[in-house]
Amino acid sequence: MHAPEGSRSAELPHMAADVLARLRARAPRVHCITNGVAQNFTANMLLAAGAAPSMTISPEEIAQFVAGADALLVNLGTLDRERREAVEIAVAAASQAGKRWVLDPVFIDRAPKRAGFARALMNKHPTALRLNGAEFLALSGAGDDREALMDYARVHSVVVALSGKTDLVGDGARIAAISNGDPLMARVTAMGCAASALVAACVAVENDAWRACAAALLILGVAGEIAAAEAKGPGSFGAAIVDAVFALDGETLMQRAKVS
Amino acid sequence: MHAPEGSRSAELPHMAADVLARLRARAPRVHCITNGVAQNFTANMLLAAGAAPSMTISPEEIAQFVAGADALLVNLGTLDRERREAVEIAVAAASQAGKRWVLDPVFIDRAPKRAGFARALMNKHPTALRLNGAEFLALSGAGDDREALMDYARVHSVVVALSGKTDLVGDGARIAAISNGDPLMARVTAMGCAASALVAACVAVENDAWRACAAALLILGVAGEIAAAEAKGPGSFGAAIVDAVFALDGETLMQRAKVS
Amino acid sequence: MHAPEGSRSAELPHMAADVLARLRARAPRVHCITNGVAQNFTANMLLAAGAAPSMTISPEEIAQFVAGADALLVNLGTLDRERREAVEIAVAAASQAGKRWVLDPVFIDRAPKRAGFARALMNKHPTALRLNGAEFLALSGAGDDREALMDYARVHSVVVALSGKTDLVGDGARIAAISNGDPLMARVTAMGCAASALVAACVAVENDAWRACAAALLILGVAGEIAAAEAKGPGSFGAAIVDAVFALDGETLMQRAKVS
């Protein structure tokens, strides 16, 4: 089952299986600033993967939670005043403690001020950026093709994980294309938010952030395919993909991974 | 399967099937100010119906989201200061842009100040009002019978969609009684909130607001019956009704509709 | 099926069945201050048990909701400024109206300021305290064994409901150990929050708060076992435990209860 070293299409799935095993063994704490729509689903997805979520956005508390966490997720959905304040404090606390953090600039294509805030956050050095094509376009001002992605990753020293029909994960030097997943994933709210939370969990247990990001999207994509075979629609799919992440084993992940 | 023109009991189901097709074809954007209990379920219900939800209540952002949306939902559940401010801004933005909006005055029978706020909002001309009998009584001060409903609709130039064992939809000139649905719908939190969100989606794609409201309640009621046949209780019913809305086709809707 | 009076191992299950019947007959209103992660699941769990939830944390409204409720839940998860203010108002309203309230000091082991707030709240006489071992340790400064629990219960005149592999419920004079439940319960977010909400519902219909707390944890634990037999993982388990609470009958509860 193990592929020769150096073959990307086999190396990443193998690494993803290893990352999944580490999630279960280490149960990394992931502090999530995320929107009210996504909180419950995100927490359940993290628990299913083996991670331990916390969610407070209280300015009085968040620095302590970040200090005690293994990674931070900053999701800009439903970005109200309190969340904005929480983001500032949390990112400062993460930087000070040397913790990795992940940015998900939800809907910045719909909200220019939020896009400005996201651009300012990029200067505070997130480890990874998980977003969709419209959001990447709003953030970068460039196209959403591989070249634009790699340029942006290089300039900002960030791993870009771009969700789409095919997911792209690039760090400026390496790029992976993941074609797992199912159309139902776009019909469940907060699926992208949960993907970003899994990215945060994976960068907590894998030093190579590019591999960590690819592992997170592979895990979710393969789980999505398994769930789609069970589900009768987006309602049951939401529960089934959590079940599938929980039950996923490394062997299945390696067998079903479609990476190029 | 098609009934003669002019027969209300056949005309509305036919129209509802057409509205459902338009939801899928046009994917109207519905901006929702709704309570934290209902956000996730509401977003998933809108996605299942074919609409595209957004949910921010940030005062800095909401006007832009409303301006880019096709309809607005104003749900007064868990009405805190920030939501109240968001409602004022959003309704002003909707009025200015000529967008339709729907009011759901959740629990105003339990909160007199909230009832006063709801009455003030009625002067800002929502297209539709979706609520239950206790809420209608608190809002109108009249009974919750057909006559009171039609009087209120006429005086306020609003379509009233009154949920109950039989749903009533009246605009002051026309009234429809819909007897689809299942008792489990009352055992899942935020079902009424989701109904109001579907009303907002339907008024975005159908000019005749009375027909749009009836279509929304028919879609949800028929989906509720289909889901109840699958579900083992309210937990699985919550997922099953989302599945059923997603899978619903016009033919099934017309066959199962109970309208008089 | 009925056990002899005075045998604790049979008396509590019998009482729990009776409490369950009263929940369905009386539909107690439970006002919940709870975190955004838990709101939806908590509301659905209360509805499944027969209770009627409300959730506002608006300072302008909460006193009225508490005055109209049969019990209050104070859950300290995601404790932001608005929630803290809501707690103060709600607890004062409950005290003034002679309503029982339940404290769930979520994650106080992770947030020292929140622990201080929880200790201050203990001086305002909650009827019951539902928490896990790490939280009890942070609150009491003592161990999390039976003796520490009973000491704490006596000193604070509170029923302590300590969730764990075996749940312990003590009031300083009596203690019950409940060994129902399933490991999947720890893999669904907000399960403890929902347990505390059920405790609040039960203290609304049963004067003996110790019996009420034991009944709540027995109901949830037995439902968890039934759900685990159905579920394919934590996603489907979340829906299945709501179904199981909804469908639970007194006879099954008495047969499956493991109390000592």
Side-chain angles (χ1 to χ4, degrees):
Chain A
M1 206 49 46
H2 291 203
E5 281 295 310
S7 158
R8 177 160 306 156
S9 63
E11 185 215 352
L12 276 179
H14 190 265
M15 168 61 61
D18 196 45
V19 167
L20 182 62
R22 277 179 267 163
L23 286 178
R24 274 110 185 225
R26 299 191 199 163
R29 287 180 174 184
V30 181
H31 191 77
C32 304
I33 301 175
T34 194
N35 61 82
V37 189
Q39 285 185 324
N40 185 275
F41 187 66
T42 300
N44 279 329
M45 191 62 89
L46 285 171
L47 286 167
S54 58
M55 296 264 163
T56 187
I57 58 165
S58 166
E60 288 82 21
E61 294 185 327
I62 195 164
Q64 280 173 330
F65 275 86
V66 172
D70 299 299
L72 169 67
L73 168 67
V74 174
N75 173 305
L76 301 186
T78 67
L79 187 68
D80 50 33
R81 279 182 290 253
E82 188 165 32
R83 278 190 168 77
R84 191 177 291 241
E85 188 183 349
V87 170
E88 306 271 15
I89 298 170
V91 168
S95 299
Q96 201 176 354
K99 312 272 175 166
R100 289 172 156 194
W101 64 282
V102 175
L103 179 63
D104 183 343
V106 175
F107 263 158
I108 55 169
D109 51 315
R110 299 275 296 277
K113 281 180 196 166
R114 199 187 288 186
F117 187 58
R119 276 189 286 269
L121 285 173
M122 286 307 301
N123 295 325
K124 301 193 175 176
H125 311 301
T127 297
L129 175 66
R130 213 284 323 158
L131 73 186
N132 66 31
E135 292 155 355
F136 183 71
L137 212 57
L139 188 66
S140 68
D144 62 350
D145 56 12
R146 289 177 184 222
E147 200 180 343
L149 185 158
M150 293 296 264
D151 281 349
Y152 191 88
R154 257 188 305 269
V155 170
H156 292 84
S157 301
V158 72
V159 180
V160 181
L162 190 64
S163 296
K165 201 171 146 50
T166 296
D167 297 333
L168 296 175
V169 180
D171 70 352
R174 298 166 293 176
I175 191 160
I178 300 169
S179 43
N180 292 100
D182 186 273
L184 273 176
M185 293 172 78
R187 304 302 289 260
V188 177
T189 198
M191 191 61 72
C193 305
S196 298
L198 285 180
V199 166
C202 290
V203 298
V205 299
E206 166 55 42
N207 281 333
D208 183 335
W210 176 74
R211 285 173 165 170
C213 290
L217 298 192
L218 260 175
I219 290 167
L220 195 63
V222 170
E225 291 175 5
I226 295 169
E230 291 272 328
K232 292 172 184 163
S236 47
F237 181 78
I241 194 169
V242 172
D243 286 353
V245 167
F246 181 74
L248 191 62
D249 60 88
E251 211 61 22
T252 304
L253 186 57
M254 288 187 286
Q255 280 165 10
R256 300 189 68 138
K258 295 179 199 150
V259 184
S260 61
Chain B
M1 204 52 45
H2 292 203
E5 281 297 310
S7 157
R8 177 159 307 156
S9 62
E11 184 214 351
L12 276 179
H14 190 265
M15 166 62 62
D18 196 45
V19 167
L20 182 62
R22 276 179 268 165
L23 286 177
R24 273 110 184 225
R26 300 192 200 164
R29 288 179 172 183
V30 181
H31 191 76
C32 304
I33 300 174
T34 194
N35 61 82
V37 188
Q39 284 185 324
N40 185 277
F41 186 65
T42 299
N44 278 330
M45 190 63 89
L46 285 173
L47 286 167
S54 58
M55 296 263 162
T56 188
I57 58 165
S58 165
E60 289 82 20
E61 294 185 326
I62 196 165
Q64 280 173 329
F65 274 88
V66 172
D70 298 300
L72 168 68
L73 168 67
V74 173
N75 174 303
L76 301 186
T78 66
L79 187 68
D80 50 34
R81 278 181 291 252
E82 189 167 30
R83 278 191 168 76
R84 190 177 291 241
E85 189 184 348
V87 170
E88 305 271 15
I89 297 169
V91 168
S95 299
Q96 201 177 352
K99 312 270 175 167
R100 288 172 157 193
W101 64 283
V102 174
L103 179 63
D104 183 342
V106 175
F107 263 160
I108 56 169
D109 50 314
R110 300 274 296 274
K113 280 179 197 167
R114 198 186 290 186
F117 186 58
R119 274 189 287 268
L121 284 173
M122 286 306 301
N123 294 326
K124 301 192 175 176
H125 312 301
T127 297
L129 175 67
R130 212 287 320 159
L131 72 186
N132 66 31
E135 291 155 354
F136 183 73
L137 213 58
L139 188 65
S140 68
D144 61 351
D145 55 14
R146 289 176 184 223
E147 198 180 347
L149 184 159
M150 291 297 264
D151 282 348
Y152 191 87
R154 255 188 306 269
V155 170
H156 292 83
S157 300
V158 72
V159 180
V160 180
L162 190 65
S163 297
K165 202 171 146 50
T166 296
D167 297 333
L168 295 176
V169 180
D171 69 353
R174 298 167 292 177
I175 190 159
I178 299 169
S179 42
N180 293 98
D182 186 273
L184 273 177
M185 294 173 77
R187 304 301 289 259
V188 178
T189 198
M191 192 59 74
C193 305
S196 297
L198 286 181
V199 166
C202 290
V203 297
V205 298
E206 165 56 42
N207 282 332
D208 182 335
W210 176 74
R211 285 173 166 170
C213 289
L217 298 192
L218 259 176
I219 290 167
L220 194 64
V222 168
E225 290 175 5
I226 294 169
E230 292 272 328
K232 293 173 182 162
S236 46
F237 181 77
I241 194 169
V242 172
D243 286 353
V245 167
F246 181 73
L248 191 61
D249 61 88
E251 211 62 20
T252 305
L253 187 57
M254 287 188 286
Q255 279 165 12
R256 299 188 68 138
K258 294 180 199 148
V259 183
S260 59
Chain C
M1 204 51 44
H2 292 203
E5 282 296 310
S7 157
R8 176 160 310 156
S9 63
E11 184 215 351
L12 276 179
H14 190 264
M15 168 60 63
D18 195 45
V19 167
L20 183 62
R22 275 179 268 163
L23 286 177
R24 274 110 185 226
R26 297 190 201 166
R29 289 179 172 184
V30 180
H31 191 77
C32 304
I33 299 174
T34 193
N35 61 83
V37 190
Q39 285 184 326
N40 185 275
F41 187 65
T42 300
N44 278 330
M45 190 64 90
L46 285 172
L47 286 167
S54 57
M55 295 265 162
T56 188
I57 58 165
S58 165
E60 288 82 21
E61 294 186 325
I62 196 166
Q64 280 173 330
F65 274 86
V66 172
D70 298 300
L72 169 68
L73 168 68
V74 174
N75 174 303
L76 301 187
T78 67
L79 187 68
D80 50 33
R81 280 181 290 253
E82 189 166 30
R83 279 190 167 76
R84 192 177 289 243
E85 188 184 350
V87 170
E88 305 272 16
I89 297 170
V91 168
S95 299
Q96 200 176 353
K99 311 271 174 167
R100 287 171 157 195
W101 64 282
V102 174
L103 181 63
D104 183 342
V106 175
F107 263 158
I108 56 170
D109 51 314
R110 300 274 295 276
K113 280 180 196 166
R114 199 188 288 188
F117 186 59
R119 275 189 286 270
L121 284 173
M122 286 306 300
N123 295 325
K124 300 194 175 176
H125 312 300
T127 297
L129 175 66
R130 212 284 324 159
L131 71 186
N132 65 32
E135 292 155 354
F136 184 72
L137 214 57
L139 188 66
S140 69
D144 63 349
D145 55 12
R146 290 176 184 223
E147 200 180 345
L149 185 159
M150 292 297 264
D151 281 349
Y152 192 88
R154 255 188 306 270
V155 170
H156 292 84
S157 301
V158 72
V159 180
V160 180
L162 190 65
S163 296
K165 203 173 146 49
T166 296
D167 297 332
L168 296 176
V169 179
D171 69 352
R174 300 166 291 177
I175 191 160
I178 299 170
S179 44
N180 293 98
D182 186 273
L184 274 176
M185 293 172 77
R187 304 301 291 260
V188 178
T189 198
M191 192 60 73
C193 305
S196 298
L198 285 180
V199 166
C202 291
V203 297
V205 299
E206 166 55 42
N207 282 332
D208 183 334
W210 176 74
R211 287 174 164 171
C213 290
L217 297 192
L218 260 176
I219 290 168
L220 195 64
V222 169
E225 291 175 5
I226 294 169
E230 292 271 329
K232 293 173 184 163
S236 48
F237 182 77
I241 194 170
V242 172
D243 287 353
V245 166
F246 181 75
L248 191 61
D249 61 87
E251 210 62 20
T252 304
L253 186 57
M254 288 187 286
Q255 278 166 11
R256 300 188 69 138
K258 296 178 199 150
V259 183
S260 60

